[in-house]
Structures are given as structure tokens and as C-alpha cells.
Amino acid sequence: MPNMETENSSVSRAEELKALANEAFRAKKYSQAIDLYSQAIELNSQNAVYYANRAFAHTKLEEYGSAIQDASKAIEIDPRYPKACFTYQIFVTPVHVKKLSPNDPDAAQKVKECEKAVKKLKFEEAIAVPESERHSVADSIDYRSIGMSPSSSFVSTQAAILAATATVVVAVVVMVWPAVATTVAGMVVAVLMILGAYWWGSCSGSGVFTKSRKLELEVEPQYSGARIEGDVITLDFVKKMMDDFKNQKCLHKRYAFQIVLQTREMLRALPSLVDIDIPDGKHFTVCGDVHGQFYDLLNIFELNGLPSEENPYLFNGDFVDRGSFSVEVILTLFAFKCMCPSEVFCFLPLAHVLNQKVFVVHGGLFSVDGVKLSDIKAIDRFCEPPEEGLMCELLWSDPQPLPGRGPSKRGVGLSFGADVTKRFLQDNSLDLVVRSHEVKDEGYEIEHDGKLITVFSAPNYCDQMGNKGAFIRFEAPTLKPNIVTFAAVAPSTMPPWAPYPFYLSQCLVMKALLDEKKEDRGSGKSPGGS
């Protein structure tokens, strides 16, 4: 009898915790909601609702690895629970979506999106060239000559679009109607020859297709926006550009090319681990994720001053996406980098060390002990981020409250505890780890016995999270972190960012491709079958 009473008491308390978690979820306090759902699960581990609700809260924090695990557990407990099935549809293959909800029009639409995306990925894989043969378009562009005179590296937008369209048509015909592929290919070759003659005549000034025209990237006389005179990007230009962006005006693409290409040259010369010396009496500011929130970036500069040699910044990754003004953010950051190249903005290398004391990284630490700063410096970062290894873990890992290491809540990288942080700092004679990568209610969080700080600089993330933003100002020689928090500025006229249609379809595609690879390797039944 006492056991029955204890069990009933646990179930009752679990329901109370679920109600509190639901309130936290509605208040957009997703981390708190996850913690409360977890407490409910500890008291009653056979309730599918708790897992399904926690899975949905994980998606709000983009912790898709944990969401997959919870949704799978909810389905295991109750295969017909509608919310669990809906959540699970996000991550499983199209076959399983059809099995779980064969008459659901929303599920059918997700299947179509997934199948379309898978075909696109397979087509890109089919036409891909080996890594050794790839060349960046940037290598063929000389921004100094743009708008000056015709260049053999120039092809009109119309010609490029037509040629690309013709290539796609040939590829589709070859896959679908092989019998007519030869005829169509011949027609496309003829079209490309005509385009070639048009381009050649236009560039060389001779030929039947010659006509008088200016390059598309020449600055038109009526353009009234910010202008760069020569090669030097000045503060006046950057201020004018930011003011234009603030009023939602565009920068001419000729100057956008120059900013991006000049920055590219500077960044290629930097090592993967950058050592920064902060003289005594000077300061250095570290910002976290900005995520395309341009007006909040301007607010940081309003609070802490514009970047300069005397007021240097380090923006610690995730400059773009999510927000509505990614181009404006990245061009502003790049322009300041070009204006003051000596460590005003230290980004795109994998990590930085301030005065041999503070290790700054976007994600986190490693799956093995003993990693030295020299190992990080030796990483070749000029590649697509791998799915495992030191580079992957620097970009993707997250801290956890428990000691040791655990699986990643994102599905990539890992989670690491305070003991891992302590050993890394001791092995490299460092005092502190500063990282970003995670939205925090107060804009920051101090963890691991004060040895790790997460800083996030995008307040009201995705126009819906309600969080504060923060940045850290370090003063030499002590480098004691002074954390400044701030609220989001008045919202712009742009609509809120809507992440879920894109991200859900991408998760679906990733899951489908992973399952396909497992089946190709003969790994047995797929994750949905139980």
C-alpha cells in the first residue's frame, strides 16, 4: 500500500512539474522548461507527453540531437501519440513520415520538400569536381579593375544564367530521357557557342555581336550611397555605409566586392590560432553571436564605441543567418577589418588567446585530453568544417553541468564538463575559456566553477526568444571580465525571422541521407522501425 501511495505521489508531482514546464515554455524560457520536463521524467519515465514536450523545447534552442532522442523515446512509449508523431516527423525519413501519418497533408508536404532537397543534393554531388580541382571564383576577380575597362574574366549575368540553365536541362534530360540526350546536348553546345561569340566580341571589341556597353559593376552616376575612393576604406565611408544600412539602403556591389575581397586577403594570412597582446592599461572587447541583427550591432557600438585601434573588438562567430540583416552585418564587420586590420576584428580563425590567459573559441573543447595550443595552431582551417575532430569540436561543442563528456545535444560535436575545462586550462597555462554558440537568457552564463563564460550578443534572438544580449570587456593587465548586458533595440520594419520551415526540412534531409548511407553499409534496420 505505501508503494502505491508513493507511486501516485510521484505521478502527481510529475504532472505539477509538467504544468510548470508548460508555463516556462509559453514564457519562452526554454532552458527552464527543459529542466522541469526532465524532473517530471525522473518521477514518471513512462509518460510520452513529457518526452514529446521536451523534444519540442529542444527544437526551440536548436538542440536537434536531443530532440531526436526525446521524440524517438515518446514514439517508443506511445506510437500513436499525435504530438510525438508530429515532432518525430521532423527528423525521420520520408518513408517513416508516410507510415506514421499517411493522410496528413502537412506531412505529405514535408515529404515533397525532403524528396526535392534530396534530389538537389544528389544532383550537386553528381556534378561536383574533386577538391583538388576546385577554384574559388574570388581568385578570378580583380576588384581594382571593376568598372574601369572590359576584362576577360567578365561574363554577363544573362549569359551566365542562360548557360547554367542549359546545363541543368541537359543533366535532367540525360537522367530522365537518355534517348534524346544526344540531340539536346548538341543544341546546348550550339547555344553555348553563340554565347561564347557574344562574350568574346563584347570583351574584345570585335565580332558580329559587338556592342558598346559598360561592365555591370561600374558605379552608376545616379548612385548616392557610400563610396570607396581607391583602395583605402575610411571611417567616413564605414559611417556612411552604416547610416545607409540603417535606413535600409543598399551598398553598390562594386564596393561590396572590394570589402569582401580585401578581407579575404587579410584572413588568409592569419593562423588558425591567433595570439593577441593587450598592453597594460588598454582594453579589449569580446562579443558573441550577432546572427544578422544589424540594429543590435549598432547598439553595441553605441554602448561601447566604434571599433578602432584604441577600441578593438573580437566577434566570436555566427555573424550571419537567423536575423534579417546578415549582409549588412557582415559587410560592416568586414569594412572595419579593412579599415583597421591590426586585430580590430579577429574573426574566422578558429580560436584566439588574449595575453596568454584567456582562450576564446566559438563552440567548445575536445573529445580527448591533452590538446595543446600548438595542435590548434596546426589545423588547416581552409576547408569545409569536418564532422569530427578538433576543428569540428572547436566549432560545435557545448559545456554541460555534469563532469566528463557526453553526447552533443546538437547531434554534432560533444558536451564537456568542468573537469575537462579545468584540465585543458592547466595543460595550456590558461585562466579562462570564453565561448559563444548558445543563446542565454541574460546574454551570458558563467559555468564550470567560474572557468568558462558563454557570451551571446543577439538579444531577442530570432525576434522571439526574449533574451538579453551581452559583451565582455577585458582590461589589461588583470583581464578581469567586465560583462555588459543590453536589451534588444526597437524592432525593424522587417518581418520576424521564420526558421522552422527551412530547418525542419534540412533536418529531414540530413536524417534521410544518413539513413541511406547506413543502409548502403548494411547496418541493419533504420531508426524508425521499432
Side-chain angles (χ1 to χ4, degrees):
M1 194 71 174
N3 288 339
M4 181 70 72
E5 291 178 359
T6 302
E7 184 177 336
N8 290 337
S9 174
S10 296
V11 170
S12 248
R13 178 55 182 160
E15 283 296 300
E16 292 173 3
L17 289 167
K18 184 196 79 170
L20 292 173
N22 290 346
E23 290 179 10
F25 186 94
R26 285 191 290 270
K28 300 179 180 179
K29 297 179 179 179
Y30 302 118
S31 295
Q32 182 182 345
I34 289 170
D35 181 59
L36 289 167
Y37 287 132
S38 299
Q39 293 179 45
I41 288 170
E42 288 178 6
L43 294 172
N44 183 6
S45 62
Q46 294 304 307
N47 191 319
V49 175
Y50 303 161
Y51 289 98
N53 286 5
R54 191 171 69 175
F56 202 54
H58 279 303
T59 67
K60 291 292 188 179
L61 295 178
E62 300 172 9
E63 298 170 354
Y64 300 118
S66 296
I68 292 173
Q69 293 176 354
D70 278 348
S72 300
K73 182 64 176 178
I75 292 274
E76 179 186 317
I77 294 171
D78 185 356
R80 293 300 171 185
Y81 176 49
K83 188 171 184 179
C85 293
F86 172 78
T87 309
Y88 192 67
Q89 286 171 17
I90 296 169
F91 303 104
V92 297
T93 64
V95 172
H96 294 119
V97 174
K98 291 178 181 177
K99 286 181 179 179
L100 289 169
S101 305
N103 300 317
D104 185 345
D106 184 56
Q109 180 61 33
K110 286 184 173 67
V111 170
K112 288 181 180 179
E113 292 177 4
C114 178
E115 290 173 341
K116 182 178 179 181
V118 169
K119 287 179 181 178
K120 176 177 179 288
L121 291 173
K122 288 186 175 180
F123 175 73
E124 291 174 349
E125 184 178 347
I127 64 173
V129 298
E131 186 73 32
S132 59
E133 298 178 17
R134 295 181 186 178
H135 300 284
S136 172
V137 173
D139 292 331
S140 64
I141 299 174
D142 180 6
Y143 66 84
R144 296 175 181 85
S145 67
I146 293 175
M148 304 301 179
S149 62
S151 166
S152 60
S153 67
F154 171 77
V155 181
S156 72
T157 302
Q158 294 90 337
I161 292 174
L162 188 53
T165 303
T167 304
V168 171
V169 170
V170 170
V172 172
V173 169
V174 169
M175 291 187 289
V176 181
W177 299 296
V180 298
T182 303
T183 303
V184 175
M187 294 170 61
V188 172
V189 169
V191 171
L192 294 178
M193 289 178 66
I194 294 171
L195 287 172
Y198 171 85
W199 171 53
W200 183 269
S202 299
C203 289
S204 64
S206 62
V208 67
F209 294 103
T210 302
K211 66 177 182 178
S212 176
R213 63 178 176 85
K214 296 180 180 179
L215 291 180
E216 288 185 351
L217 293 178
E218 185 170 3
V219 181
E220 300 84 359
Q222 64 269 28
Y223 173 71
S224 61
R227 292 173 179 263
I228 302 174
E229 302 297 335
D231 284 350
V232 179
I233 294 175
T234 64
L235 180 59
D236 287 340
F237 164 79
V238 180
K239 286 182 175 179
K240 167 65 174 168
M241 181 184 69
M242 288 194 299
D243 190 59
D244 287 347
F245 287 162
K246 186 176 181 180
N247 294 307
Q248 297 189 27
K249 296 180 180 179
C250 294
L251 177 70
H252 196 281
K253 52 190 172 183
R254 185 253 184 268
Y255 303 125
F257 264 97
Q258 179 169 344
I259 291 170
V260 172
L261 293 174
Q262 280 190 0
T263 305
R264 179 175 181 265
E265 292 175 6
M266 293 177 184
L267 295 177
R268 291 178 72 177
L270 292 176
S272 293
L273 176 67
V274 177
D275 290 302
I276 299 172
D277 292 322
I278 307 170
D280 289 355
K282 301 295 183 180
H283 66 270
F284 192 91
T285 301
V286 177
C287 296
D289 302 15
V290 180
H291 278 299
Q293 297 183 196
F294 179 68
Y295 294 88
D296 292 309
L297 175 66
L298 295 182
N299 191 33
I300 291 174
F301 294 154
E302 184 73 23
L303 294 170
N304 198 56
L306 289 174
S308 68
E309 297 287 357
E310 296 300 315
N311 189 33
Y313 283 80
L314 189 161
F315 279 83
N316 195 26
D318 277 353
F319 321 115
V320 300
D321 76 35
R322 310 296 199 277
S324 301
F325 300 94
S326 290
V327 173
E328 289 83 352
V329 165
I330 201 65
L331 286 176
T332 299
L333 297 182
F334 280 2
F336 273 117
K337 176 69 177 177
C338 293
M339 187 187 82
C340 301
S342 59
E343 305 303 347
V344 171
F345 285 102
C346 311
F347 49 82
L348 297 192
L350 297 177
H352 299 77
V353 175
L354 311 183
N355 282 13
Q356 301 178 9
K357 293 182 178 181
V358 180
F359 180 74
V360 185
V361 65
H362 178 69
L365 301 180
F366 311 101
S367 57
V368 295
D369 290 332
V371 176
K372 298 298 182 66
L373 297 181
S374 57
D375 298 321
I376 301 171
K377 194 167 290 189
I379 296 172
D380 180 7
R381 73 181 189 277
F382 298 106
C383 62
E384 287 295 315
E387 296 181 4
E388 58 184 15
L390 298 186
M391 181 174 173
C392 171
E393 291 159 3
L394 285 164
L395 297 174
W396 284 102
S397 294
D398 296 290
Q400 66 179 19
L402 298 175
R405 296 177 172 91
S408 169
K409 57 192 176 185
R410 303 173 187 270
V412 61
L414 72 146
S415 298
F416 60 95
D419 54 331
V420 175
T421 299
K422 181 179 179 180
R423 286 194 296 270
F424 173 78
L425 293 175
Q426 289 176 342
D427 288 346
N428 291 281
S429 301
L430 297 167
D431 296 337
L432 179 69
V433 172
V434 174
R435 43 93 61 182
S436 304
H437 197 40
E438 284 186 285
V439 60
K440 297 296 181 183
D441 289 343
E442 295 301 316
Y444 74 98
E445 186 172 359
I446 301 173
E447 303 173 79
H448 292 183
D449 302 320
K451 295 297 184 180
L452 184 144
I453 302 176
T454 296
V455 58
F456 193 84
S457 302
N460 194 28
Y461 179 49
C462 293
D463 292 331
Q464 61 180 331
M465 298 295 284
N467 62 288
K468 294 180 182 178
F471 57 82
I472 306 175
R473 189 175 169 113
F474 291 95
E475 302 282 347
T478 63
L479 292 195
K480 180 181 178 180
N482 176 28
I483 300 173
V484 179
T485 63
F486 56 95
V489 297
S492 71
T493 57
M494 294 291 287
W497 182 76
Y500 293 105
F502 170 77
Y503 266 92
L504 299 189
S505 64
Q506 290 301 303
C507 289
L508 192 60
V509 169
M510 291 171 62
K511 183 71 174 172
L513 293 178
L514 287 172
D515 286 347
E516 182 177 293
K517 289 182 179 180
K518 289 179 180 177
E519 290 173 3
D520 289 343
R521 292 195 299 265
S523 61
K525 71 177 184 179
S526 56
S530 62

